[in-house]
Amino acid sequence: MLRVDGLSSWYGEAQALREVSLEVGKGEIVTLVGRNGAGKTTLLRCLMGLHPASGTVSFLDEDITALGPHRRARRGLGYVPDDRGIYATLSVEENLLLPPETGPEPWSLERVYEAFPRLRERRRFPGTKLSGGEQQMLALARVLRMGARLLLCDEPTEGLSPLIVAQIGDILREVKAAGVTVLLIEQNVHFAATVADRHYLLAEGRIVESLDNDEVREREHELLDYLGI
Ligand code: ATP
């Protein structure tokens, strides 16, 4: 579904990504793992067209390298930033309804509430009154409502309690069951191995390893040490 070849990116003189190549198949959940500063956020931003890069990106067999973020969204890419981008003064429902249906497969409000019953309960609450987990659910729900077919999620579990992390895992599995593909940044390798199909390890802007769940489980302690967690 997504194919990235030789992607490089810079901040001024500093190179943040070095010849990154990867693939994500339709319906897969794939994680990006790596230390702080490895380039994970930059990679997602480049894939969404929010940061310039060289190399090629194709999505559903179409070369989208030259397209800006809006046109990538129209083809079905959806970006969930790490700050979640919730409008604090608007209600949950307004947050869901405000962004336009840009993607090819927009979810109705009813479908969103069926998948996220907690958001239905909280639909009149302002963004400021939501817990971290609820904000994360809202951020995910919003890109699904906009019609994304591939979610680019920047560390959805960061700062959340184990119970809420487990709920996010259930939601990601539901999203996958609905046919949506996910590429997510995830430092919690234990969680990553329970929710994802495959993993890429990123170091200093390069993909250094591609791992399956068994490899992540066998090397969990080594990986946590390496990541400094
Ligand atoms: P983190 O989990 O800490 O966000 P990351 O793996 O997502 O780490 P990036 O945020 O993509 O890493 O950063 C990759 C490199 O680019 C780092 O060396 C970082 O210092 C640098 N960088 C990131 N954003 C900027 C920016 N706006 N200006 C200059 N350098 C930046």
Side-chain angles (χ1 to χ4, degrees):
M1 178 172 228
L2 178 76
R3 192 189 159 103
V4 179
D5 280 307
L7 199 85
S8 294
S9 185
W10 287 262
Y11 292 98
E13 300 281 292
Q15 190 164 3
L17 295 175
R18 298 165 192 272
E19 298 281 323
V20 169
S21 298
L22 60 84
E23 284 184 10
V24 183
K26 182 162 169 38
E28 273 194 312
I29 299 182
V30 175
T31 71
L32 293 170
V33 179
R35 284 179 174 165
N36 286 348
K40 306 176 298 295
T41 298
T42 304
L43 177 54
L44 292 194
R45 288 178 52 80
C46 289
L47 295 178
M48 196 64 215
L50 294 164
H51 190 75
S54 63
T56 58
V57 181
S58 40
F59 182 61
L60 295 170
D61 295 324
E62 188 194 0
D63 188 339
I64 59 164
T65 311
L67 303 186
H70 202 73
R71 289 169 73 194
R72 292 188 194 207
R74 244 190 269 153
R75 280 168 177 71
L77 271 81
Y79 180 54
V80 187
D82 56 355
D83 68 2
R84 295 163 189 151
I86 306 295
Y87 302 111
T89 55
L90 299 184
S91 70
V92 164
E93 195 151 296
E94 286 164 340
N95 265 281
L96 287 168
L97 291 176
L98 187 70
E101 295 181 359
T102 39
E105 289 166 12
W107 288 27
S108 66
L109 195 58
E110 191 50 37
R111 186 172 178 200
V112 166
Y113 285 152
E114 270 169 31
F116 299 85
R118 186 74 183 158
L119 294 182
R120 189 200 300 273
E121 288 167 24
R122 302 257 162 187
R123 66 185 184 279
R124 309 258 173 256
F125 275 58
T128 42
K129 290 274 164 34
L130 299 180
S131 69
E134 289 163 351
Q135 284 183 20
Q136 187 59 55
M137 288 177 202
L138 179 55
L140 282 166
R142 192 167 52 181
V143 284
L144 291 167
R145 211 204 61 76
M146 290 167 74
R149 291 193 278 197
L150 169 66
L151 304 187
L152 305 167
C153 301
D154 197 338
E155 224 177 339
T157 63
E158 190 183 13
L160 302 179
S161 70
L163 186 69
I164 307 297
V165 169
Q167 284 178 16
I168 299 289
D170 291 340
I171 287 168
L172 289 172
R173 284 184 206 96
E174 272 183 51
V175 163
K176 177 186 163 96
V180 176
T181 308
V182 183
L183 177 61
L184 81 149
I185 295 176
E186 186 53 72
Q187 298 297 70
N188 179 342
V189 291
H190 178 76
F191 171 75
T194 66
V195 77
D197 300 292
R198 295 187 296 113
H199 317 267
Y200 288 107
L201 184 61
L202 206 68
E204 294 171 12
R206 284 193 181 84
I207 302 270
V208 289
E209 283 193 78
S210 169
L211 302 162
D212 64 24
N213 283 334
D214 288 341
E215 289 168 318
V216 167
R217 285 194 195 98
E218 279 159 23
R219 293 171 54 189
E220 186 178 328
H221 294 293
E222 176 209 330
L223 288 167
L224 289 174
D225 266 357
Y226 169 75
L227 297 170
I229 295 165

